[in-house]
Amino acid sequence: MNNLDTQKLRMMIESASAHLRNNRKLIDDLNVFPVPDGDTGTNMSLTFSGATEMTLSEDFDHAGRLLSKLASAALRNARGNSGVILSQILRGFAKAVENKEVLGLPELKDAFVGAKTTAYRAVMKPTEGTILTVIRESAEFAEANFESFTDITEFFCAVVDAGNASLDRTPELLPALKKAGVVDAGGKGLMTIFEGMLIALESGTAVEVADTSFKAPSAAKTTKTDADIKFLYCTEFIINKPADRKAGPFQAAITDKGDCMLVIEDEDIVKVHIHTNHPGFVIEQALKLGELTNLKIDNMKYQHEENTLDDLDSPANAEEAKPEIATPTKKYGFAAVSAGEGLTEIFRELGADEIVEGGQTMNPSTQDLLSAVEKIPAEIVYILPNNKNIILAADQVDALTDKKVIVIPTVNIPQGISAMTAFDEGMSPEENAETMKEFADSVDCGQVTFAARDTNLDGVEIKLGDCLAVCGKDIAAVTATPEESVEALAEKMVNDESSVISLYYGEDTTEESANAISAKLEEKYPDLDVSVIYGGQPVYFYIISVE
């Protein structure tokens, strides 16, 4: 075989998506720490399968355009750091061959080199021993050896062998991998994609999906605040008017009857959109100007309740939905990522316009975050990802919207809460960003969860179900109960400058247990204020912050 046309590429993409989906759990389990937050395989699969579905729904007779569509769709579906980096690998792959109708050996080599270059540029501080190393060494092999091959399948097979050899070496480059006895999960995900493509090339058929129930988690939806439904009826219509009549008086009459108002006037028509509690009044005023067509009135509260009950059928629907872009009615807005009823309510009370549900084990995609930003009627929107694995996805949003987006790189919920309390509308956007970052950085955070598997870490035996006190990147203690882990975290985190301990208890913890451990902390640290707050978060029994 001398080249790859769009028919072969479509089969390879479909096969790669299925192979990654079938092996996502294996990749998830390649977690350095034995905590239940390994989601690299899930994130990469949601990213790639969403992009695949959107791409293969269209017909292409040009390889470059097919791959460009895949890369663009991957960016919008990107979930977690691994998903974003994967989207950049696909972007570089596509960019190198965007003008090619078919791919021969030289073009495939260029695509691998482009993938490497773009991926490294996308990461501010590249870490070796990760997916970046695997794509780099795969590309270096391709560049050095492509002239030795005449068959594109044999060449692709050799590149895959080189990539797997690179993956096997990742524990030698990252001590944490070696201690845990695993290879890099992102690198494994990338090689699973390449292996799925190779299977299709060698067999002539795509891998079949073994688990058809797999889909994007419904928790990745955005949640409107009560303030967003202040005006119930989304009212839209067109006014057909005489050329000598102007829309100014009509616009003035309805201005104080709602928000998200849009009145666009042409010579003989006026396009109207408004959220209002008085659609009848708006229509009466419109009839003074001319005849109405395309009239549509939707109850947004009813729509919101319906949407909350519906599952997200597919990550591909993110682009198809194309949410309405809210007309700015204020300068600043906030989108915060949160999981847990109590934590979500806290962000609402602090002024968050949109809550994107997500966190560990359910990272929202770039499209999820973009949709939230577009719904906020503000010129400038701050995003608080509140998880280190969501920051890269959030960073992609600014380039996809006309609004100014500022990401505050909060890595946990307490940092996000602290950042929002620091906002001052009297300061400039840049001053606020700096102050919010400073407040976030001043918060120490610990989390209590359970061990997802047996392991030995730094000489410490950890058994499935043990309680783990996690502080930053370290396991501070292994205990028998969540309460003992909280005490261990407090002992590690409290210092002479500490003044407040906040204890957020999760959905698997009772208020009684939280109050009991709070009483012990108050007795041990009498000079500190100890607060017990219902977070309702999954995965973590407790989140503890010290300020």
Side-chain angles (χ1 to χ4, degrees):
M1 185 188 303
N2 295 324
N3 58 58
L4 301 175
D5 57 18
T6 53
Q7 184 177 357
K8 294 187 185 76
L9 285 171
R10 289 175 66 90
M11 179 179 62
M12 291 168 67
I13 292 167
E14 180 183 3
S15 183
S17 178
H19 196 50
L20 182 59
R21 178 180 295 199
N22 293 343
N23 288 279
R24 73 186 186 281
K25 182 64 168 60
L26 181 150
I27 300 166
D28 281 345
D29 289 342
L30 295 175
N31 196 12
V32 172
F33 289 134
V35 295
D37 64 355
D39 49 13
T40 299
T42 297
N43 282 337
M44 294 184 76
S45 186
L46 288 171
T47 299
F48 197 81
S49 63
T52 297
E53 188 171 341
M54 290 164 62
T55 301
L56 300 189
S57 65
E58 300 181 27
D59 291 327
F60 293 91
D61 58 3
H62 188 285
R65 287 194 282 271
L66 170 67
L67 293 171
S68 293
K69 174 65 177 181
L70 181 70
S72 174
L75 175 60
R76 289 180 174 271
N77 282 280
R79 295 173 185 268
N81 294 345
S82 57
V84 174
I85 293 173
L86 174 59
S87 75
Q88 296 307 298
I89 289 172
L90 295 173
R91 179 187 174 199
F93 201 97
K95 184 70 175 175
V97 296
E98 60 184 345
N99 297 319
K100 305 298 181 180
E101 291 188 18
V102 296
L103 306 187
L105 283 166
E107 290 78 24
L108 189 55
K109 175 267 296 182
D110 290 342
F112 278 111
V113 173
K116 171 203 70 174
T117 302
T118 301
Y120 269 82
R121 285 176 180 169
V123 180
M124 187 174 297
K125 295 180 180 179
T127 300
E128 296 301 332
T130 65
I131 186 174
L132 294 174
T133 302
V134 175
I135 187 58
R136 176 176 60 78
E137 294 187 345
S138 298
E140 288 171 351
F141 175 89
E143 188 171 26
N145 295 279
F146 79 99
E147 292 179 337
S148 302
F149 293 86
T150 57
D151 182 88
I152 207 163
T153 302
E154 292 179 0
F155 173 62
F156 199 92
C157 180
V159 174
V160 169
D161 287 342
N164 277 322
S166 176
L167 177 65
D168 290 340
R169 289 191 294 269
T170 56
E172 302 304 320
L173 298 173
L174 271 183
L177 295 175
K178 191 169 187 177
K179 285 182 181 179
V182 296
V183 296
D184 178 67
K188 179 63 175 176
L190 180 65
M191 292 315 303
T192 302
I193 290 172
F194 289 162
E195 288 168 354
M197 291 179 172
L198 180 60
I199 291 170
L201 270 180
E202 292 181 329
S203 68
T205 58
V207 173
E208 294 186 359
V209 175
D211 181 5
T212 57
S213 66
F214 177 59
K215 60 183 179 180
S218 58
K221 295 179 180 178
T222 58
T223 303
K224 282 184 174 290
T225 67
D226 293 339
D228 291 324
I229 316 178
K230 180 179 179 181
F231 298 102
L232 284 181
Y233 301 100
C234 177
T235 305
E236 296 180 84
F237 51 84
I238 291 174
I239 308 173
N240 295 286
K241 69 176 184 66
D244 60 345
R245 293 188 184 178
K246 301 299 179 184
F250 163 72
Q251 184 170 347
I254 68 170
T255 294
D256 62 352
K257 295 298 183 181
D259 65 5
C260 297
M261 186 177 72
L262 189 65
V263 178
I264 302 175
E265 183 176 12
D266 202 346
E267 287 187 3
D268 53 1
I269 68 166
V270 180
K271 170 68 176 175
V272 180
H273 170 277
I274 186 172
H275 294 172
T276 180
N277 288 328
H278 304 283
F281 175 84
V282 174
I283 291 171
E284 285 181 13
Q285 298 304 309
L287 288 170
K288 296 177 182 179
L289 188 59
E291 296 181 353
L292 308 187
T293 59
N294 294 36
L295 179 62
K296 182 168 73 76
I297 302 174
D298 291 321
N299 184 318
M300 292 187 293
K301 182 177 181 180
Y302 177 76
Q303 283 184 322
H304 170 57
E305 289 171 350
E306 273 195 334
N307 290 339
T308 302
L309 295 173
D310 291 339
D311 283 333
L312 182 61
D313 293 330
S314 165
N317 288 341
E319 183 175 82
E320 294 171 1
K322 293 183 180 178
E324 174 189 334
I325 301 175
T327 303
T329 58
K330 59 182 180 178
K331 187 170 184 178
Y332 296 111
F334 300 88
V337 179
S338 175
E341 180 184 1
L343 297 177
T344 294
E345 186 59 33
I346 292 170
F347 280 111
R348 287 176 174 170
E349 292 174 355
L350 289 173
D353 299 273
E354 289 284 335
I355 303 296
V356 182
E357 295 188 25
Q360 292 294 66
T361 74
M362 50 179 181
N363 298 156
S365 69
T366 295
Q367 181 65 46
D368 292 329
L369 297 168
L370 173 63
S371 296
V373 167
E374 298 287 38
K375 291 177 184 176
I376 298 173
E379 299 172 12
I380 301 168
V381 178
Y382 293 90
I383 299 179
L384 295 105
N386 301 329
N387 184 294
K388 64 181 176 58
N389 208 32
I390 301 173
I391 294 173
L392 265 182
D395 285 340
Q396 313 308 309
V397 175
D398 186 54
L400 300 174
T401 178
D402 291 333
K403 297 181 180 181
K404 181 178 178 61
V405 174
I406 300 174
V407 177
I408 308 300
T410 49
V411 300
N412 53 58
I413 290 291
Q415 280 196 352
I417 292 171
S418 183
M420 285 208 67
T421 63
F423 179 79
D424 183 347
E425 195 160 353
M427 296 195 299
S428 72
E430 294 73 22
E431 289 172 333
N432 263 314
E434 188 63 31
T435 302
M436 292 168 78
K437 289 176 185 176
E438 289 177 0
F439 269 63
D441 290 342
S442 70
V443 178
D444 287 330
C445 176
Q447 297 158 319
V448 177
T449 186
F450 59 91
R453 67 173 190 270
D454 293 347
T455 191
N456 185 301
L457 200 61
D458 293 330
V460 178
E461 288 289 336
I462 298 174
K463 299 295 184 183
L464 174 68
D466 282 347
C467 289
L468 304 178
V470 182
C471 188
K473 296 181 179 180
D474 300 321
I475 294 180
V478 180
T479 68
T481 67
E483 290 70 31
E484 290 173 346
S485 284
V486 171
E487 291 186 77
L489 281 172
E491 188 170 336
K492 182 178 179 65
M493 296 165 63
V494 171
N495 57 43
D496 293 339
E497 298 179 358
S498 303
S499 59
V500 177
I501 298 176
S502 298
L503 192 63
Y504 302 88
Y505 64 96
E507 63 181 2
D508 295 321
T509 308
T510 65
E511 183 178 7
E512 182 181 8
S513 297
N515 285 332
I517 187 60
S518 172
K520 289 185 178 181
L521 294 176
E522 288 175 343
E523 182 178 352
K524 188 171 183 178
Y525 306 103
D527 295 332
L528 274 64
D529 291 329
V530 181
S531 300
V532 174
I533 306 157
Y534 173 61
Q537 69 274 4
V539 181
Y540 297 107
F541 297 115
Y542 293 98
I543 298 174
I544 178 173
S545 70
V546 177
E547 302 177 65

